[in-house]
């Protein structure tokens, strides 16, 4: 399990961000409007906004006054909700069948997710405005953890009683990608993994045509024999029916296709995300 | 005593469209379809009473949103309102309206929310409200802001955490209900940081 956690923590995505032409100085070469970088799958994209804007500052029409407010990303003209980990958005929206991806890619192939960055005073509907910079992102993340903690333990006490230094180190471990610190504080929240009450779970079902993510937050009552299939059948009975195994939808966790008969507690222990939830993307494979 | 959040006006639905990406992306479709259904209803000469009509429209909005949600989940809805319309011509109006009512009541599950104020902010009366389970939590925040006539309000579940605004109220109710009520604590400042 240790090695799985390590692979997952180090999992990354190659991203190329193109700047929306509406905010770029006229006559700028297209090459200068692009920023390419690699970020961890298990993080919020908005955390990297200052870095991206630093690289784009020269070509923008207006001076950057706030490095968070009014900025958003889109993929295929669909605005991305920053409140989900970027890896989850990728798994849900790109909907690449992992087995197909493996067969077409060699070790030299670089997979790049192309996004567009926009800026406007008015954000598209559904995007939560960031008005308080990094602090707001941190608070949002902390509340996600509190919710997850409530689901796991029946109250948020474990996370609310963390010392200030611990709770700050917890957040900095995300920013500095320090798995050791993260795991140390995680142990305090999840004191006994075998006696959890419920498992915090988010299921993301995206439709391939509209690229819209429908998220179902589920707290499955802990039962050692509960499998992913049991939960998916209950949450999305239209996709995962009891009679026959689904041939057009696959559950993806952290970019990996996971077997339907996986025990949910095992999945949670191995693939839990940095916000305390187990995110499952239902990839609807094109027929 | 309880109240219906949606019954305040259609704004409840509108705000969900503003705040919630999944609904808003299809707001045009929903609006167009609403017009279409309104026309259909007129054609079939259903109740002309304005109140019933408006209620029906609200229900249909809910129905369409719910339908959209189901579609997203890959469900092929064969008993959609459109197909109901075609059934109408061969059956009596009474039967059809009963069918629609049955279907609506099945899909429009409402959940109960209990509001509890923290600190100096006033307690809203009545304390309990009912809301459709598919609505995002942002609708609850909008409702509270309107009711309290304030610009910001911080909402928490069970005196613990602030849920994501896009999370559906039904999901929250299922997981955190206390005696069949979702307890929402609200405060004018940050209460649980």
């Amino acid at each position: 399990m240790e090695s799985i956690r390590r692979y997952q923590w180090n999992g990354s995505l190659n991203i190329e961000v193109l700047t929306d032409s509406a905010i770029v100085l006229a006559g700028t070469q297209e090459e200068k409007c692009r920023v390419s970088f690699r970020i961890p799958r298990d993080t919020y994209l908005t955390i990297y906004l200052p870095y991206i804007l630093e690289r784009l500052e020269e070509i923008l029409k207006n001076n950057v006054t706030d490095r968070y407010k009014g900025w958003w990303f889109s993929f295929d003209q669909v605005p991305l909700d920053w409140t989900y980990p970027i890896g989850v958005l990728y798994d849900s929206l790109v909907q690449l069948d992992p087995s197909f991806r493996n067969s077409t890619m060699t070790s030299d192939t670089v997979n790049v997710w192309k996004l567009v960055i926009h800026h406007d005073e008015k954000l598209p509907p559904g995007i939560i405005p960031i008005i308080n910079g990094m602090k707001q992102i941190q608070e949002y993340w902390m509340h996600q953890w509190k919710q997850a903690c409530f689901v796991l333990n029946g109250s948020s006490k474990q996370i609310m009683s963390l010392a200030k230094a611990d709770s700050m180190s917890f957040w900095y471990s995300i920013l500095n990608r320090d798995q050791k610190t993260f795991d140390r504080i995680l142990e305090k929240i999840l004191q006994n993994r075998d006696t959890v009450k419920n498992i915090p779970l988010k299921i993301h079902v995206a439709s391939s045509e509209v690229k819209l993510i429908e998220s179902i937050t589920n707290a499955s009552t802990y039962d050692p024999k509960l499998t992913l299939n049991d939960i998916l059948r209950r949450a999305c009975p239209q996709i995962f029916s009891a009679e026959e195994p689904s041939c057009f939808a696959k559950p993806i966790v952290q970019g990996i296709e996971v077997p339907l008969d996986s025990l949910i507690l095992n999945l949670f222990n191995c693939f839990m995300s940095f916000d305390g939830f187990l995110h499952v993307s239902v990839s609807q494979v094109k027929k | 005593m309880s109240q219906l959040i949606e019954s305040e006006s259609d704004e409840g639905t509108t705000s969900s469209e503003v705040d919630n990406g999944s609904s808003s992306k299809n707001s045009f479709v929903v609006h167009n379809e609403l017009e279409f259904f309104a026309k259909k209803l007129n054609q079939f000469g259903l109740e002309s009473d304005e109140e019933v009509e408006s209620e029906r429209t609200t229900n249909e909005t809910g129905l369409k949103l719910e339908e959209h949600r189901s579609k997203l989940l890959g469900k092929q809805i064969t008993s959609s309102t459109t197909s109901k319309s075609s059934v109408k011509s061969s059956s009596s109006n009474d039967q059809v309206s009963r069918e629609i009512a049955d279907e609506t009541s099945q899909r429009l599950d409402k959940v109960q929310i209990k509001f509890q104020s923290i600190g100096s902010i006033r307690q809203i009366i009545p304390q309990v409200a009912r809301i459709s389970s598919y609505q995002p939590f942002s609708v609850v925040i909008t409702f509270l802001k309107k009711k309290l006539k304030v610009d910001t309000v911080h909402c928490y579940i069970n005196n613990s955490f602030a849920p994501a605004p896009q999370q559906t109220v039904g999901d929250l109710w299922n997981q955190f209900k206390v005696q069949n009520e979702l307890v929402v604590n609200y405060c004018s400042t940050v209460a649980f940081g």
Side-chain angles (χ1 to χ4, degrees):
Chain A
M1 197 180 90
E2 284 285 305
S3 59
I4 295 178
R5 289 286 303 159
R6 198 170 55 249
Y7 277 125
Q8 184 228 311
W9 181 266
N10 294 327
S12 55
L13 269 181
N14 296 314
I15 301 219
E16 182 185 280
V17 171
L18 177 69
T19 320
D20 180 6
S21 55
I23 56 169
V24 174
L25 282 171
T28 311
Q29 289 173 321
E30 206 188 305
E31 286 165 30
K32 289 189 174 175
C33 301
R34 291 177 200 276
V35 184
S36 300
F37 52 96
R38 175 180 287 190
I39 61 166
R41 291 179 60 95
D42 214 9
T43 190
Y44 298 129
L45 182 57
T46 38
I47 290 178
Y48 295 85
L49 263 172
Y51 164 79
I52 298 166
L53 293 175
E54 203 180 344
R55 303 264 294 266
L56 294 173
E57 225 160 6
E58 286 176 9
I59 58 145
L60 297 176
K61 274 183 194 166
N62 298 321
N63 287 337
V64 179
T65 47
D66 191 317
R67 291 187 169 180
Y68 298 94
K69 199 174 175 180
W71 297 96
W72 80 93
F73 296 91
S74 70
F75 166 61
D76 270 5
Q77 296 172 339
V78 177
L80 295 185
D81 186 340
W82 65 266
T83 59
Y84 298 127
I86 187 72
V88 171
L89 290 172
Y90 179 78
D91 292 341
S92 307
L93 293 170
V94 178
Q95 304 208 330
L96 276 178
D97 180 358
S99 55
F100 171 77
R101 192 169 53 196
N102 290 343
S103 65
T104 52
M105 289 187 175
T106 63
S107 55
D108 297 333
T109 318
V110 178
N111 187 26
V112 181
W113 196 21
K114 294 183 178 177
L115 305 176
V116 179
I117 187 168
H118 308 263
H119 184 266
D120 201 338
E121 281 182 12
K122 196 174 178 298
L123 290 171
I127 301 296
I128 297 172
I130 305 179
I131 51 168
N132 202 13
M134 192 69 113
K135 182 118 180 74
Q136 185 183 337
I137 303 173
Q138 183 194 344
E139 279 170 6
Y140 176 83
W141 171 81
M142 209 50 172
H143 279 287
Q144 287 295 295
W145 256 111
K146 279 190 198 172
Q147 183 170 347
C149 184
F150 201 109
V151 173
L152 284 162
N153 303 316
S155 84
S156 304
K157 205 179 122 201
Q158 283 82 348
I159 198 151
M160 279 164 127
S161 54
L162 280 182
K164 171 119 186 170
D166 276 348
S167 106
M168 287 314 286
S169 312
F170 201 30
W171 171 242
Y172 287 132
S173 71
I174 302 295
L175 300 183
N176 304 328
R177 306 307 299 168
D178 177 359
Q179 194 184 4
K180 227 173 164 181
T181 311
F182 183 84
D183 284 350
R184 180 176 60 83
I185 295 158
L186 185 64
E187 286 306 310
K188 295 188 180 183
I189 300 166
L190 273 173
Q191 280 160 1
N192 195 346
R193 285 173 189 250
D194 296 326
T195 57
V196 293
K197 288 195 169 159
N198 304 289
I199 307 277
L201 182 70
K202 284 193 186 183
I203 302 165
H204 307 273
V205 185
S207 144
S208 53
E209 290 96 27
V210 286
K211 293 204 164 54
L212 239 171
I213 301 180
E214 175 82 352
S215 296
I216 306 163
T217 312
N218 200 318
S220 58
T221 312
Y222 174 60
D223 166 3
K225 287 181 185 161
L226 196 70
T227 65
L228 182 61
N229 198 23
D230 299 332
I231 288 170
L232 288 174
R233 259 199 244 157
R234 208 185 306 153
C236 336
Q238 304 86 355
I239 303 175
F240 296 93
S241 67
E243 291 83 35
E244 48 185 295
S246 178
C247 52
F248 64 93
K250 292 180 175 181
I252 312 288
V253 179
Q254 302 280 7
I256 305 156
E257 184 187 341
V258 287
L260 279 166
D261 57 3
S262 316
L263 293 177
I264 203 73
L265 185 66
N266 282 352
L267 280 181
F268 177 77
N269 283 333
C270 295
F271 298 112
M272 177 199 62
S273 198
F274 78 117
D275 58 2
F277 283 85
L278 173 68
H279 292 270
V280 180
S281 301
V282 175
S283 163
Q284 302 201 36
V285 180
K286 286 171 195 132
K287 285 175 191 169
Chain B
M1 223 170 100
S2 73
Q3 55 188 322
L4 297 176
I5 291 183
E6 280 95 339
S7 69
E8 281 285 302
S9 71
D10 281 342
E11 277 173 51
T13 319
T14 317
S15 59
S16 85
E17 284 167 7
V18 172
D19 292 326
N20 181 19
S22 58
S23 327
S24 63
K25 260 203 73 65
N26 294 281
S27 58
F28 289 115
V29 183
V30 172
H31 279 304
N32 287 344
E33 285 183 355
L34 267 179
E35 275 173 29
F36 169 73
F37 290 125
K39 272 184 204 161
K40 278 268 176 194
L41 281 173
N42 285 340
Q43 277 174 12
F44 292 111
L46 288 171
E47 293 97 323
S48 57
D49 183 60
E50 206 181 301
E51 206 177 294
V52 175
E53 199 70 69
S54 72
E55 173 133 53
R56 191 172 291 276
T57 317
T58 320
N59 286 345
E60 297 247 10
T61 316
L63 205 72
K64 290 313 291 175
L65 285 172
E66 185 63 16
E67 196 173 296
H68 169 72
R69 185 187 158 109
S70 308
K71 266 184 189 162
L72 266 179
L73 293 171
K75 187 181 178 185
Q76 296 299 314
I77 294 186
T78 47
S79 61
S80 69
T81 323
T82 324
S83 61
K84 283 276 181 248
S85 305
S86 56
V87 179
K88 277 173 194 169
S89 47
S90 59
S91 58
S92 75
N93 283 348
D94 277 0
Q95 206 181 334
V96 171
S97 48
R98 221 178 303 129
E99 276 176 29
I100 291 181
D102 285 352
E103 195 171 298
T104 310
S105 64
Q106 272 172 16
R107 294 194 187 174
L108 283 180
D109 297 338
K110 285 201 162 45
V111 294
Q112 196 148 311
I113 298 182
K114 188 175 190 176
F115 294 104
Q116 286 177 345
S117 64
I118 309 171
S120 59
I121 200 161
R122 76 178 166 87
Q123 173 68 52
I124 61 157
I125 296 169
Q127 218 181 337
V128 176
R130 287 173 67 77
I131 181 171
S132 301
S133 54
Y134 61 81
Q135 294 278 22
F137 190 72
S138 58
V139 174
V140 177
I141 304 173
T142 316
F143 166 77
L144 261 180
K145 283 203 291 194
K146 213 165 66 181
K147 200 88 177 147
L148 294 161
K149 298 190 177 76
V150 291
D151 292 333
T152 47
V153 64
H154 299 261
C155 293
Y156 302 92
I157 303 291
N158 289 344
N159 277 326
S160 296
F161 63 88
Q166 68 270 48
Q167 195 172 349
T168 58
V169 179
D171 281 347
L172 286 169
W173 185 84
N174 275 327
Q175 293 165 39
F176 307 109
K177 63 184 173 212
V178 180
Q179 290 171 347
N180 281 334
E181 284 176 334
L182 178 68
V183 180
V184 174
N185 310 94
Y186 62 95
C187 189
S188 53
T189 54
V190 175
F192 307 101

